[in-house]
């Protein structure tokens, strides 16, 4: 652990990036809409008013009705209606697109098809891509923008995160040395900056004792519960809750409840079982080093963003990614030695 | 080598409890759930059966262990492992011939644990709309997860109405003043379940 601590360049060797929901990370989907040039700029506000009331664009509240044009003979273009709302026809004229007697098409040119973003952008990258197609409005979540730039955490926070993940890496190595998969996990109370539990994979002894399941039980033990004894593995340890309880907590009489408010640092993305165990345990946030093939916090599922579940949490990947990646090669050696 | 493996796969494929077995073991699982309800515990009954013998059974132990992963299925799986170790039997070859009988659909976590231990068949009563891992929230039982054990077959709907009624009774008595919000939410979901199952 001493190796990582305090050396200032280390925290620049990795970036923690948020693992966002599918809606937040998917590509921009486009939908076809008829647009028309506005030939007479003075007609603009009347046209927009009439079109907005008589031809509202269903589900496209996020796209702006008009866009300015450069390098074109006309100054502006306006969206008329969704292509899917118009019956198939051979020649499309502006008159045929507008409800008869409703919109006065003075000042409008002949229609053409454009592609506009089908959904409101949720992140700045989505917004920037969407805007290349048509001007789009965007209600920015500043924290997500900063997180996607990898700049959410201060230097102090990164140093703490670095130290916690370094403990997880050390535990992983100890586990690897004992013949387990080299995977380690640490549970931290971010309010007190205290480590509650450290553990590693113990699946040689019990096939379901993945590192996350081990630390969840160690947290239970720290609160006077727990099921298993990991005493034969000195790298698996916990700090009992009573010894870390702050004065404020004692005064309020608030007892720690499972993993509520705690952060988990784990060297590798958790599997489905472990990810759902974290939902049941009401974990605060999860930080992992590297993705795994069947991982359930980003790779195969994103259980932390699943709308139907009663608890959701933030997940960040990439903490100490190089050191966590190195553990995989240790695992390959272990498997080879076991003849797998 | 190849034929050996093929033969093994085939036998797992054929492993499936009969109607009579389902009837009999589910009756036992429902008795367990009823007993739990009478003791004020979560009314879920759960049995692991190997060669017509119960090698694991469990009840929800979350409260007393302060470990939120101690669902009935996880407790029962621990008993199966203990039984294998005590009997000096290979865990994998035993688990491949075990059927799980449980009154409520296993959650996502338990479904993944069942996969990791290669349990081939799960017989359950009612759906679990909040956490279900056999199709209700996610389908872990048949998902393409090559590093997460083996897929398993689900036989569902056995005495579903009765299983829901027991859960409803439990959450009603557990929560007379609406103290715990998630429990009233659960009751709501159970009512939804009831509605969608057309029972
Ligand atoms: Zn796991
Ligand atoms: Zn479960």
């Amino acid at each position: 652990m001493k190796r990582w601590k305090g050396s200032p360049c280390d925290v620049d060797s990795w970036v923690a990036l948020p693992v966002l929901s599918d809606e937040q990370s998917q590509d921009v989907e486009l939908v076809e809409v008829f647009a028309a040039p506005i030939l007479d700029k003075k007609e603009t506000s009347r046209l927009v008013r009439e079109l907005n009331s008589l031809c509202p664009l269903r589900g496209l509240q996020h796209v702006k009705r008009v866009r300015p044009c450069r390098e074109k003979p006309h100054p502006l273009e306006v969206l008329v209606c969704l292509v899917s709302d118009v019956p198939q026809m051979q020649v499309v004229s502006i008159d045929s697109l507008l409800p008869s007697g409703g919109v006065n098409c003075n000042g409008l040119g002949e229609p053409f098809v454009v592609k506009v973003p089908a959904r409101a952008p949720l992140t700045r990258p989505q917004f920037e891509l969407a805007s290349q197609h048509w001007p789009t409005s965007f209600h920015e979540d500043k924290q997500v923008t900063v997180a996607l730039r990898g700049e959410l955490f201060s230097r102090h926070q990164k140093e703490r995160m670095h130290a916690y993940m370094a403990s997880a890496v050390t535990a992983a190595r100890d586990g690897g040395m004992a013949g387990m998969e080299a995977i380690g996990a640490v549970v931290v109370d971010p309010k007190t900056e205290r480590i509650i539990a450290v553990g590693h994979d113990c699946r040689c002894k019990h096939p379901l004792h993945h590192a996350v399941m081990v630390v969840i039980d160690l947290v239970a033990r720290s609160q006077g519960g727990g099921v298993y004894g990991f005493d034969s593995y000195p790298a698996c340890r916990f700090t009992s809750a009573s010894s870390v309880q702050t004065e404020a907590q004692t005064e309020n009489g608030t007892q720690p409840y499972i993993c509520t408010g705690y952060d988990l640092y784990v060297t590798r993305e958790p599997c489905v079982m472990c990810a759902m165990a974290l939902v049941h345990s009401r974990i605060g946030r999860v930080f992992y080093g590297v993705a795994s093939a069947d991982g359930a916090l980003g790779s195969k599922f994103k259980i932390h963003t699943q709308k139907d579940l009663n608890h959701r949490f933030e997940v960040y990947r990439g903490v100490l990614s190089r050191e966590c990646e190195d553990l995989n090669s240790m695992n390959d050696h272990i498997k080879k030695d076991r003849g797998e | 080598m190849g034929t050996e493996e093929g033969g093994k796969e085939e036998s797992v494929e054929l492993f499936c409890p009969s109607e009579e077995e389902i009837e009999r073991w589910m009756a036992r699982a429902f008795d367990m759930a009823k007993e739990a309800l009478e003791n004020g515990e979560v009314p879920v009954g759960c049995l692991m059966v190997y060669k017509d013998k119960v090698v694991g059974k469990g009840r929800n132990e979350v409260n007393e262990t302060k470990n939120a992963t101690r669902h009935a299925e996880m407790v029962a799986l621990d008993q199966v492992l203990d039984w294998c170790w005590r009997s000096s039997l290979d865990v994998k070859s035993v688990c491949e011939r075990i059927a799980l009988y449980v009154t409520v659909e296993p959650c996502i976590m338990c479904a993944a644990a069942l996969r990791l231990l290669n349990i081939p068949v799960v017989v359950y009563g009612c759906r679990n709309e909040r956490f279900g891992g056999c199709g209700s929230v996610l389908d872990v039982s048949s998902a393409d997860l090559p590093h997460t054990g083996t897929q398993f077959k689900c036989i569902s709907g056995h005495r579903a109405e009765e299983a829901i009624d027991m859960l409803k009774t439990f959450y009603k008595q557990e929560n007379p003043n609406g103290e715990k919000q998630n429990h009233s939410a659960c009751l709501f979901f159970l009512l939804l379940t009831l509605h969608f199952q057309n029972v």
Side-chain angles (χ1 to χ4, degrees):
Chain A
M1 185 149 159
K2 270 178 196 136
R3 246 187 303 160
W4 325 100
K5 233 180 177 176
S7 94
C9 54
D10 272 341
V11 295
D12 296 324
S13 70
W14 54 269
V15 181
L17 290 171
V19 181
L20 301 175
S21 66
D22 285 339
E23 295 79 46
Q24 288 171 303
S25 26
Q26 69 197 355
D27 287 341
V28 174
E29 197 185 306
L30 299 170
V31 60
E32 289 191 325
V33 177
F34 280 113
I38 297 180
L39 306 172
D40 182 355
K41 210 173 176 176
K42 282 187 279 212
E43 299 284 343
T44 307
S45 62
R46 177 193 60 80
L47 282 166
V48 168
R49 194 175 58 243
E50 288 181 8
L51 283 167
N52 276 346
S53 73
L54 292 160
C55 306
L57 297 168
R58 280 178 303 106
L60 294 180
Q61 288 81 359
H62 53 279
V63 293
K64 306 224 162 115
R65 195 89 204 200
V66 177
R67 76 169 169 193
C69 303
R70 264 170 279 149
E71 298 154 11
K72 281 191 185 171
H74 48 270
L76 299 163
E77 287 168 352
V78 63
L79 296 177
V80 179
C81 62
L82 281 153
V83 169
S84 59
D85 284 351
V86 177
Q88 289 273 308
M89 53 183 126
Q90 281 191 310
V91 188
V92 176
S93 70
I94 191 69
D95 294 321
S96 67
L97 293 179
L98 296 170
S100 51
V103 179
N104 177 351
C105 57
N106 276 351
L108 277 184
E110 281 311 305
F112 58 97
V113 173
V114 288
K115 286 181 174 165
V116 307
R119 272 185 300 268
L122 299 170
T123 64
R124 183 152 280 277
Q126 284 182 340
F127 168 63
E128 280 162 7
L129 282 173
S131 302
Q132 289 173 8
H133 297 278
W134 192 272
T136 304
S137 47
F138 174 44
H139 301 288
E140 184 163 21
D141 181 334
K142 283 269 162 50
Q143 186 186 310
V144 170
T145 303
V146 176
L148 281 170
R149 282 205 304 261
E151 294 167 1
L152 185 62
F153 301 104
S154 69
R155 188 150 199 104
H156 171 74
Q157 284 170 320
K158 278 195 82 178
E159 280 165 6
R160 299 303 308 173
M161 292 157 71
H162 195 104
Y164 299 140
M165 191 61 93
S167 301
V169 170
T170 306
R173 290 218 183 94
D174 289 343
M177 233 79 93
M180 314 290 168
E181 292 226 18
I183 304 166
V186 170
V187 175
V188 175
D189 181 352
K191 288 182 292 298
T192 58
E193 298 193 335
R194 296 285 293 267
I195 289 180
I196 307 293
V198 182
H200 57 70
D201 180 275
C202 294
R203 74 184 77 177
C204 281
K205 213 170 178 196
H206 186 305
L208 302 181
H209 284 177
H210 295 187
V212 171
M213 301 300 274
V214 169
V215 287
I216 285 175
D217 197 57
L218 289 168
V219 169
R221 282 186 73 187
S222 82
Q223 297 167 0
V227 180
Y228 306 102
F230 297 105
D231 304 337
S232 49
Y233 301 108
C236 297
R237 56 190 193 272
F238 63 92
T239 318
S240 91
S242 52
S243 71
V244 295
Q245 246 184 333
T246 62
E247 275 171 37
Q249 275 177 322
T250 320
E251 270 169 34
N252 297 338
T254 49
Q255 294 290 321
Y257 173 65
I258 44 180
C259 294
T260 308
Y262 291 167
D263 290 343
L264 170 79
Y265 291 79
V266 56
T267 55
R268 187 197 285 181
E269 182 187 356
C271 74
V272 176
M273 175 183 68
C274 293
M276 192 60 195
L278 292 166
V279 173
H280 289 315
S281 302
R282 309 290 165 96
I283 193 77
R285 295 179 296 181
V286 172
F287 300 86
Y288 62 81
V290 289
S292 65
D294 276 2
L297 299 181
S299 296
K300 275 286 164 71
F301 297 110
K302 291 175 174 174
I303 283 184
H304 61 297
T305 70
Q306 190 83 28
K307 287 218 171 64
D308 329 343
L309 295 177
N310 63 344
H311 178 66
R312 268 164 263 159
F313 48 90
E314 290 171 15
V315 172
Y316 297 88
R317 62 181 165 85
V319 182
L320 242 67
S321 49
R322 196 155 18 102
E323 288 80 355
C324 293
E325 192 78 64
D326 288 345
L327 294 170
N328 285 343
S329 52
M330 186 171 184
N331 283 326
D332 294 340
H333 284 298
I334 294 166
K335 279 185 184 159
K336 215 179 277 170
D337 289 347
R338 279 203 303 243
E340 278 175 30
Chain B
M1 191 74 185
T3 44
E4 210 178 294
E5 255 179 37
K8 203 170 155 197
E9 260 171 40
E10 201 181 342
S11 69
V12 171
E13 191 59 43
L14 288 173
F15 175 72
C16 187
S18 67
E19 281 295 326
E20 185 274 325
E21 284 173 298
I22 290 176
E23 197 72 41
R24 184 156 48 93
W25 292 115
M26 281 305 270
R28 283 276 296 273
F30 272 90
D31 288 344
M32 276 180 76
K34 258 177 242 159
E35 204 182 305
L37 184 63
E38 279 155 20
N39 292 325
E41 294 167 6
V42 187
V44 175
C46 165
L47 291 171
M48 303 269 178
V49 178
Y50 173 70
K51 291 189 175 168
D52 220 34
K53 178 183 157 84
V54 177
V55 290
K57 62 180 181 179
R59 42 176 274 277
N60 184 298
E61 293 179 359
V62 168
N63 286 338
E64 60 262 49
T65 60
K66 302 187 180 191
N67 180 333
T69 70
R70 298 308 287 165
H71 290 186
E73 297 90 330
M74 302 298 273
V75 174
L77 283 173
D78 275 358
Q79 292 189 2
V80 169
L81 293 170
D82 274 337
W83 184 81
C84 289
W85 293 326
R86 275 200 316 271
S87 325
S88 313
L89 290 169
D90 175 54
V91 171
K92 191 164 187 276
S93 36
V94 170
C95 285
E96 280 172 351
R97 313 285 298 181
I98 283 182
L100 163 64
Y101 299 90
V102 58
T103 52
V104 184
E105 175 191 6
C107 78
I108 292 166
M109 172 188 72
C110 293
L114 293 163
R115 275 188 72 130
L116 287 166
L117 285 175
N118 312 294
I119 304 289
V121 182
V122 173
V123 183
Y124 66 83
C126 67
R127 283 158 60 91
N128 178 345
E129 296 291 342
R130 296 181 78 203
F131 302 122
C134 306
S136 293
V137 176
L138 285 181
D139 195 351
V140 177
S141 56
S142 68
D144 176 29
L145 297 164
H147 307 281
T148 311
T150 45
Q151 298 173 336
F152 59 84
K153 178 187 165 85
C154 294
I155 302 169
S156 65
H158 191 85
R159 292 165 70 175
E161 192 181 350
E162 210 179 314
I164 293 168
D165 281 344
M166 277 195 282
L167 286 166
K168 270 165 62 184
T169 310
F170 172 74
Y171 287 114
K172 247 184 253 166
Q173 68 190 32
E174 174 89 337
N175 186 32
N177 327 309
E179 265 175 50
K180 286 184 182 168
Q181 291 223 319
N182 55 340
H183 282 166
S184 52
C186 189
L187 183 60
F188 169 69
F189 281 110
L190 286 165
L191 290 169
L192 270 181
T193 318
L194 199 62
H195 177 71
F196 284 125
Q197 287 200 332
N198 300 321
V199 288

